[in-house]
Amino acid sequence: VQLQAFGGGLVQAGRSLRLSCAVSVTRGSVNATGWYRQASGKQRELVATITSGGRTNYADSVKGRFTISRDNAKNTVYLQMNSLKPEDTAVYYCNANVRSWPMIGKDYWGQGTLVTVSS
């Protein structure tokens, strides 16, 4: 399983940014994919996830501002981030939970992409 994230950068508060994650699975199937973030000095936290069935879940702090989606044809997951705030500044990591017998689910991580929101 390989995940490669793109799209981070420096943006002003109130603006938008879209992250992309290319997911490559050679064995098994994806249960869910998602985005997590880790700000400096803080623990990694969930941002948003989307299951294979299309069910989404968001952290309260990003509800109404961020949207997770996927393009199955491109094996790519997106995170559209609108109305960005300085507190959204973090390294964003793409995650895939993959089912491959005998494991019902194992987490894989991308390399992370830095998002910096200036005030």
Side-chain angles (χ1 to χ4, degrees):
V1 178
Q2 292 184 328
L3 298 93
Q4 192 165 12
F6 304 92
L10 173 63
V11 65
Q12 288 185 326
R15 303 296 291 269
S16 299
L17 204 61
R18 188 176 80 158
L19 305 181
S20 303
C21 177
V23 182
S24 176
V25 179
T26 56
R27 181 181 176 186
S29 59
V30 177
N31 292 320
T33 51
W35 291 93
Y36 292 69
R37 67 186 181 187
Q38 186 168 16
S40 180
K42 295 187 178 181
Q43 290 187 331
R44 190 174 299 187
E45 63 177 3
L46 178 146
V47 177
T49 59
I50 183 167
T51 68
S52 59
R55 187 170 69 247
T56 58
N57 181 49
Y58 296 92
D60 288 342
S61 60
V62 307
K63 282 180 181 176
R65 299 188 298 123
F66 291 11
T67 302
I68 189 169
S69 63
R70 64 168 186 234
D71 184 331
N72 290 331
K74 296 181 179 179
N75 294 320
T76 300
V77 178
Y78 303 98
L79 184 69
Q80 178 67 41
M81 304 184 293
N82 298 330
S83 302
L84 281 161
K85 303 175 181 180
E87 51 263 43
D88 294 318
T89 295
V91 177
Y92 284 70
Y93 295 92
C94 181
N95 166 276
N97 185 270
V98 177
R99 179 175 65 251
S100 180
W101 190 88
M103 293 182 292
I104 61 172
K106 179 179 178 180
D107 283 325
Y108 295 85
W109 298 91
Q111 81 281 14
T113 184
L114 177 62
V115 173
T116 304
V117 184
S118 63
S119 57

